């Protein structure tokens, strides 16, 4: 792994942190999940920019799906 991939993983973690905080979720937890997924998936991509975009898209998709599955009460 080179320094560019490491930098992009940390940037993606920072971006996911801000998105999670905006959606009233635990930002640190989502940032750590993003970094872990980034380290796991980094050997699968040859292009660092494509890897960065795919990582952001994957994490945002997971957050979106979990928002759909989250039970909500109508009488709040």
């Amino acid at each position: 792994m080179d320094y560019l991939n490491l930098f992009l993983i940390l940037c993606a973690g920072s971006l996911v942190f801000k998105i999670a905080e905006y959606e009233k979720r635990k930002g640190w937890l989502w940032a750590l999940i993003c970094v872990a997924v980034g380290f796991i998936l980094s050997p699968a991509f040859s292009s660092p920019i494509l890897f960065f975009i795919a990582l952001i898209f994957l994490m945002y998709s997971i957050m979106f799906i979990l928002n759909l599955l989250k039970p909500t009460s109508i009488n709040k």
Side-chain angles (χ1 to χ4, degrees):
M1 176 183 301
D2 56 349
Y3 289 116
L4 180 60
N5 279 348
L6 180 64
F7 178 71
L8 288 176
I9 290 170
L10 293 177
C11 287
S14 173
L15 184 63
V16 168
F17 174 80
K18 287 296 185 181
I19 292 170
E21 289 285 318
Y22 179 75
E23 291 186 359
K24 308 241 185 295
R25 293 184 172 269
K26 295 178 182 173
W28 288 107
L29 176 66
W30 282 99
L32 289 175
I33 291 170
C34 179
V35 169
V37 169
F39 279 123
I40 292 169
L41 291 181
S42 66
F45 289 90
S46 60
S47 171
I49 301 301
L50 180 64
F51 165 68
F52 177 74
I53 293 169
L55 184 60
I56 295 297
F57 180 74
L58 177 69
M59 294 306 298
Y60 192 74
S61 298
I62 291 171
M63 275 195 249
F64 179 75
I65 290 170
L66 287 177
N67 275 339
L68 292 177
L69 297 176
K70 180 177 158 184
T72 57
S73 117
I74 297 173
N75 299 325
K76 270 192 171 178

